[in-house]
């Protein structure tokens, strides 16, 4: 009885928090609170609350203000609509599933924390608290990892014997796509946090400082000296080269999930993100031509052959992820086996 009440509690509270997440995402979208703010000026009873809301920006505006090279084109963030739809299908189907007790006890708490973290991240990030938002997003991402592991998500061919515990297909797909996209979001957010909250303040401090900076380990400021050495090591690569390294790491992660979990949905999500990064850098050719013709008009301290690094890397890695997802999906659907059977039948036919 207590187990049933616990499962029901987590299910209904997760459903309520899910709709709160939907409302929060709509609130901080380009068509959200900023469109309604003039009409709410006289209706919000607390002036301080109105001032706080007025200072907030949309996710798109914050993304432009803290631009990095590994951010996909804004259109590709529409995948959140697919994620919300899949999570909604999961919440509906789990009500009638025979595994609802197991799913509720395994992931109910972590799913709740993950959703609350995403809601908190939207508020904190859009108010401009980047470092705090990074911590909150990390908590949500860790919960997504735990959910993926506790569900033991793996996909099987229809001819292959399934494992001991295989949950509903919509549950597995929903959390595969959620985990994969949060991996992309975590990478971009961490990259932005390091760039704007760690690297640039140190560089600006050294530029405006009148005292010489001596790199040595002492007892006065060991933290500053350590950060200085880390910054000097990171500065050996340009931002675009670090972006290419991050995309290569995402590709390796996607290949692992494809080979050992048969999870084509993780690779498809990574492919979607990498193609979005490629689309976001389609104008790099114009920048390359501008750099080649008149370098005095370009302020970016990048060599000409480094400008297209992100574009080429995203194209190659996105193509690898797309092909890998198609191969994995064909394996799950038994296409290879069907072709082998058809070839054998052709050979056995008498002439």
């Amino acid at each position: 009885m207590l187990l049933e009440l616990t499962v029901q509690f987590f299910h209904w509270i997760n459903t309520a928090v899910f709709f709160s997440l939907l409302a929060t995402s709509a609130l901080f979208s380009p068509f959200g609170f900023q469109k309604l703010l003039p009409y709410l000026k006289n209706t919000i009873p607390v002036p301080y609350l109105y001032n706080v809301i007025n200072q907030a920006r949309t996710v798109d505006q914050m993304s432009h203000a803290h631009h990095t090279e590994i951010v996909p084109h804004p259109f590709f963030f529409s995948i959140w609509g697919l994620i919300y739809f899949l999570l909604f299908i999961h919440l509906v189907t789990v009500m009638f599933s025979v595994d609802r007790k197991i799913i509720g006890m395994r992931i109910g708490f972590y799913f709740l924390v993950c959703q609350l973290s995403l809601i908190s991240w939207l508020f904190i990030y859009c108010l401009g608290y980047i470092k705090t938002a990074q911590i909150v997003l990390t908590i949500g991402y860790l919960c997504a990892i735990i959910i993926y592991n506790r569900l033991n998500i793996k996909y099987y061919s229809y001819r292959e014997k399934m494992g001991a515990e295989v949950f509903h297909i919509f549950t597995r797909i929903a959390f595969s796509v959620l985990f994969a996209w949060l991996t992309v979001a975590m990478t971009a957010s961490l990259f932005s946090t390091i760039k704007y909250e760690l690297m640039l303040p140190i560089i600006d401090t050294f530029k405006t400082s009148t005292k010489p900076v001596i790199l040595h380990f002492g007892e006065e400021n060991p933290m500053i000296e350590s950060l200085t050495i880390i910054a000097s090591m990171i500065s050996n690569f340009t931002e675009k080269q670090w972006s290419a390294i991050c995309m290569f790491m995402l590709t390796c992660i996607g290949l692992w999930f494809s080979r050992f979990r048969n999870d084509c949905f993780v690779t498809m999500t990574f492919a979607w993100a990498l193609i979005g990064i490629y689309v976001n850098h389609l104008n790099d050719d114009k920048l390359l031509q501008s750099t080649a013709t008149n370098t005095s008009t370009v302020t970016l301290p990048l060599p000409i052959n480094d400008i297209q690094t992100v574009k080429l890397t995203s194209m190659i890695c996105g193509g690898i992820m797309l092909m890998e997802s198609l191969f994995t999906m064909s394996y799950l659907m038994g296409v290879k086996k069907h072709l082998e059977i058809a070839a054998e039948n052709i050979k056995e036919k008498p002439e």
Side-chain angles (χ1 to χ4, degrees), residues 45 101 167 185:
K101 291 183 180 180
F167 298 108

Side-chain angles (χ1 to χ4, degrees), residues 80-288:
W80 277 113
L82 174 63
I83 293 173
Y84 293 147
F85 174 75
L86 291 173
L87 290 176
F88 176 74
I89 296 297
H90 156 71
L91 289 171
V92 172
T93 55
V94 78
M95 293 175 59
F96 309 100
S97 174
V98 295
D99 299 322
R100 65 181 183 276
K101 291 183 180 180
I102 300 176
I103 295 175
M105 293 304 298
R106 285 195 179 185
I107 69 169
F109 172 75
Y110 298 104
F111 187 34
L112 176 62
V113 175
C114 182
Q115 291 188 102
L116 291 175
S117 299
L118 292 177
I119 294 173
S120 303
W121 175 81
L122 284 169
F123 278 100
I124 296 170
Y125 180 71
C126 293
L127 287 173
Y129 301 102
I130 306 300
K131 288 181 283 190
T132 307
Q134 179 61 51
I135 295 173
V136 174
L137 183 61
T138 303
I139 295 173
Y141 179 59
L142 291 176
C143 289
I145 294 175
I146 294 173
I147 291 171
Y148 193 95
N149 287 329
R150 290 181 72 87
L151 290 178
N152 193 23
I153 294 178
K154 188 175 181 180
Y155 298 87
Y156 298 87
S157 170
Y158 76 100
R159 292 178 177 269
E160 190 177 4
K161 184 179 179 180
M162 294 187 179
E165 291 180 335
V166 178
F167 298 108
H168 198 277
I169 185 66
F170 286 114
T171 297
R172 288 181 285 159
I173 294 175
F175 288 106
S176 290
V177 178
L178 176 65
F179 161 74
W181 190 252
L182 284 183
T183 303
V184 176
M186 185 70 184
T187 304
S189 177
L190 188 61
F191 199 99
S192 175
T193 304
I194 293 174
K195 176 182 177 180
Y196 288 97
E197 300 296 327
L198 179 62
M199 295 297 298
L200 290 185
I202 293 176
I203 294 173
D204 293 340
T205 301
F206 292 158
K207 284 181 179 179
T208 57
S209 177
T210 57
K211 298 180 180 180
V213 179
I214 302 174
L215 296 178
H216 66 87
F217 287 97
E219 298 181 357
E220 295 182 358
N221 274 316
M223 180 64 70
I224 296 298
E225 293 172 358
S226 301
L227 291 176
T228 304
I229 294 175
I230 294 173
S232 64
M233 293 173 61
I234 293 176
S235 61
N236 290 330
F237 297 95
T238 64
E239 181 184 349
K240 290 181 178 290
Q241 291 169 345
W242 277 113
S243 302
I245 292 172
C246 290
M247 287 186 285
F248 176 75
M249 292 174 61
L250 280 177
T251 305
C252 292
I253 294 172
L255 289 173
W256 187 92
F257 278 95
S258 177
R259 294 297 178 179
F260 294 99
R261 298 275 185 155
N262 293 329
D263 198 336
C264 60
F265 300 100
V266 168
T267 53
M268 288 175 68
T269 306
F270 284 172
W272 177 262
L274 291 166
I275 293 172
I277 296 172
Y278 172 78
V279 172
N280 209 23
H281 289 82
L282 285 177
N283 293 327
D284 285 356
D285 291 333
K286 297 180 180 179
L287 181 60
L288 180 63

Side-chain angles (χ1 to χ4, degrees), residues 26-68:
L27 182 66
F28 290 105
S29 69
F31 307 99
F33 72 96
Q34 289 189 342
K35 298 290 185 181
L36 301 175
L37 201 59
Y39 304 99
L40 299 176
K41 185 174 183 180
N42 298 324
T43 59
I44 298 179
V46 183
Y48 173 75
L49 180 60
Y50 173 80
N51 293 331
V52 170
I53 297 176
N54 193 28
Q55 292 174 1
R57 291 186 283 182
T58 64
V59 176
D60 188 54
Q61 290 172 339
M62 289 296 298
S63 179
H64 282 294
H66 298 81
H67 173 73
T68 59

Side-chain angles (χ1 to χ4, degrees), residues 291-351:
T291 307
T293 56
N294 187 8
T295 56
S296 61
T297 60
V298 180
T299 59
L300 293 175
L302 296 172
I304 292 178
N305 59 357
D306 193 35
I307 292 177
Q308 290 187 315
T309 301
V310 177
K311 180 180 178 181
L312 293 175
T313 306
S314 60
M315 180 179 65
I316 295 171
C317 293
I320 293 173
M321 286 288 92
L322 185 60
M323 294 301 297
E324 182 66 25
S325 61
L326 292 176
F327 286 145
T328 306
M329 187 175 294
S330 65
Y331 163 74
L332 296 176
M333 296 174 63
V335 174
K336 182 179 178 181
K337 193 67 177 178
H338 283 303
L339 292 176
E340 291 177 353
I341 294 174
E344 292 177 359
N345 292 334
I346 293 174
K347 290 180 181 179
E348 293 176 356
K349 283 184 178 180
E351 296 182 359

